[in-house]
Amino acid sequence: MVTSIRINNSTLELVEGDITLQAVDAIVNAANSALSGGGGVDGAIHRAGGIAIMAECRKIGRCPAGTAIITTAGQLPCKYVIHTVGPVYGGGNRGEAALLASSYRSSLTLAKEHGFKSVAFPSISTGVYSYPVEEAAAIALRTVVDFLKTEPSKIELLRFVLFSGADFKTYSTVLGRLNK
Ligand code: ADP
């Protein structure tokens, strides 16, 4: 299933799938601040991409929540991996929303600076970091829509790759609400 809308010269697309299979300029990783790899989408990206990605992460060292860094994509079908760190959800009163928005913005700023045409995001912070999916989807979609509306860039395709049918449905519903 695919849902998409046009924003200026870009397409914002939602799909259900596996981000490691996306042949885009850059996929975004929901990393941790030590860039040490782990479970979830982070583990899947390092497993599929091979050791080159971790070698660069080690050289870079750290990535505070709300910021992003970029590495090679190793053996992945995409060209680069943008690693960002979302907030750990602690109830919603600890600046989580601002940090989550900042993760998306920082990732898109890197994509813009590199002149990328296509970028794919997972649902940052909604796995191990426990951000409620509907709230996170509203922040994610509002932030990327604002970016595409206000920041001139070469980005033609911004794709959210949702790992479950339930997440795809939630993101689709939230996008429909936002787009009214
Ligand atoms: P975080 O620590 O930021 O919460 P997780 O990796 O635990 O990150 O989860 C973020 C989201 O990524 C979850 O919705 C999870 O289901 C999803 N996910 C896990 N593996 C993949 C994958 N291969 N492709 C896309 N999304 C994935």
Side-chain angles (χ1 to χ4, degrees), residues 17-22 29-32 39-45 47 84-88 100 121-131 133 161-164 167 171:
D18 181 341
I19 203 161
T20 65
L21 304 177
Q22 307 297 313
N29 180 20
N32 57 60
V41 72
D42 198 1
I45 287 170
R47 266 194 310 278
T84 190
V85 181
V88 177
L100 187 60
F121 281 92
S123 177
I124 297 164
S125 281
T126 64
V128 173
Y129 283 3
S130 302
Y131 215 118
V133 178
V161 182
L162 290 325
F163 204 46
S164 69
D167 284 355
Y171 271 73

Side-chain angles (χ1 to χ4, degrees), residues 55-106:
E56 270 191 54
C57 283
R58 286 218 182 88
K59 272 191 208 146
I60 293 164
R62 289 188 63 76
C63 181
T67 68
I69 59 103
I70 186 164
T71 69
T72 175
Q75 292 147 22
L76 290 166
C78 57
K79 296 183 189 140
Y80 294 90
V81 179
I82 293 171
H83 305 258
T84 190
V85 181
V88 177
Y89 191 75
N93 294 318
R94 299 180 187 176
E96 295 96 328
L99 281 172
L100 187 60
S102 177
S103 287
Y104 283 97
R105 251 192 322 268
S106 304

Side-chain angles (χ1 to χ4, degrees), residues 1-15 22 24 26 108 116-121 140-141 144-149 151 153-161 175 179:
M1 283 231 285
V2 181
T3 298
S4 71
I5 62 166
R6 292 283 297 168
I7 299 166
N8 294 336
N9 295 319
S10 316
T11 300
L12 169 59
E13 189 175 275
L14 311 180
V15 302
Q22 307 297 313
V24 288
L108 285 172
F116 294 157
K117 291 186 178 163
S118 51
V119 190
F121 281 92
L141 292 167
V144 305
V145 167
D146 280 354
F147 191 96
L148 293 176
K149 279 188 177 160
E151 293 268 348
S153 78
K154 296 209 169 81
I155 299 169
E156 291 168 3
L157 174 66
L158 195 164
R159 178 182 287 156
F160 276 87
V161 182
L175 182 61
N179 206 28

